[in-house]
Amino acid sequence: MQRRTLFGIFSHATDEVWFSVFFVTLRVFIGFSAFFYGVERLSDWSVINDLSINAFFSSWFEQVFAFSIFETLLPWMMIIFGICLILGMLVRPASIILLICYFLIYAWTFISFASSFNFLLVIVCLMLFLSGGSGHIVGLDYFLYSYAREHNWVTKFLVG
């Protein structure tokens, strides 16, 4: 018996062509958003530059996160996993890591709900990509999954 994913239920309930075009456009847009966010922060950037006084854990971010390896890795993770979303490759793992990154970014840049609405919108889109199958439409996940030797839970998690 074939198991259906949430993405499969959504795509069969709507016009598949338009839904697929919209979904690929959304995936590429979120990928470019993460990519350019990382590129902007590659040169001479610190969490202290973006840290808000109203942030949820401002003292923690200032003491632990600032000037650490995580601060150096964050722009590179945003660039690499943004490219993964653009190409439709390893969409689920990329979405999980980008969710963690965006939750951290949302926590340290929080000023008000209206000003941080774009972060919340990206977080919701990344949660939608976790449903599975979004990399199979005009993406490399389809090829990675079809050429996998075994279709076990690891391959389904990575490229399913």
Side-chain angles (χ1 to χ4, degrees):
M1 173 182 262
Q2 185 178 9
R3 294 176 59 158
R4 295 179 62 185
T5 62
L6 184 61
F7 179 75
I9 294 169
F10 283 147
S11 66
H12 291 296
T14 61
D15 184 20
E16 291 184 30
V17 173
W18 286 108
F19 183 79
S20 300
V21 167
F22 171 73
F23 210 67
V24 168
T25 305
L26 183 65
R27 189 190 73 215
V28 169
F29 180 75
I30 297 298
F32 274 119
S33 171
F35 176 77
F36 287 125
Y37 189 88
V39 167
E40 283 180 18
R41 277 138 183 89
L42 268 181
S43 63
D44 198 28
W45 169 80
S46 175
V47 172
I48 303 299
N49 298 347
D50 289 345
L51 191 61
S52 169
I53 296 172
N54 297 334
F56 293 120
F57 307 106
S58 61
S59 61
W60 181 81
F61 281 116
E62 192 171 343
Q63 293 172 359
V64 176
F65 200 81
F67 308 113
S68 69
I69 186 106
F70 300 115
E71 185 179 45
T72 308
L73 286 178
L74 180 77
W76 288 107
M77 288 191 321
M78 298 292 278
I79 290 171
I80 291 168
F81 294 115
I83 291 171
C84 284
L85 282 182
I86 293 167
L87 296 176
M89 179 177 67
L90 303 173
V91 174
R92 273 190 185 159
S95 296
I96 290 171
I97 293 176
L98 284 175
L99 267 173
I100 294 167
C101 291
Y102 271 105
F103 275 128
L104 287 173
I105 293 166
Y106 177 72
W108 81 55
T109 60
F110 183 79
I111 298 170
S112 67
F113 180 75
S115 65
S116 58
F117 184 71
N118 57 345
F119 287 117
L120 292 176
L121 193 60
V122 170
I123 287 170
V124 168
C125 290
L126 288 170
M127 286 181 183
L128 181 64
F129 297 154
L130 286 176
S131 67
S134 60
H136 286 250
I137 305 170
V138 191
L140 295 177
D141 275 354
Y142 174 75
F143 298 110
L144 294 174
Y145 188 74
S146 62
Y147 290 120
R149 292 184 184 188
E150 293 183 27
H151 295 274
N152 54 15
W153 68 271
V154 176
T155 56
K156 288 180 182 178
F157 171 74
L158 291 176
V159 293

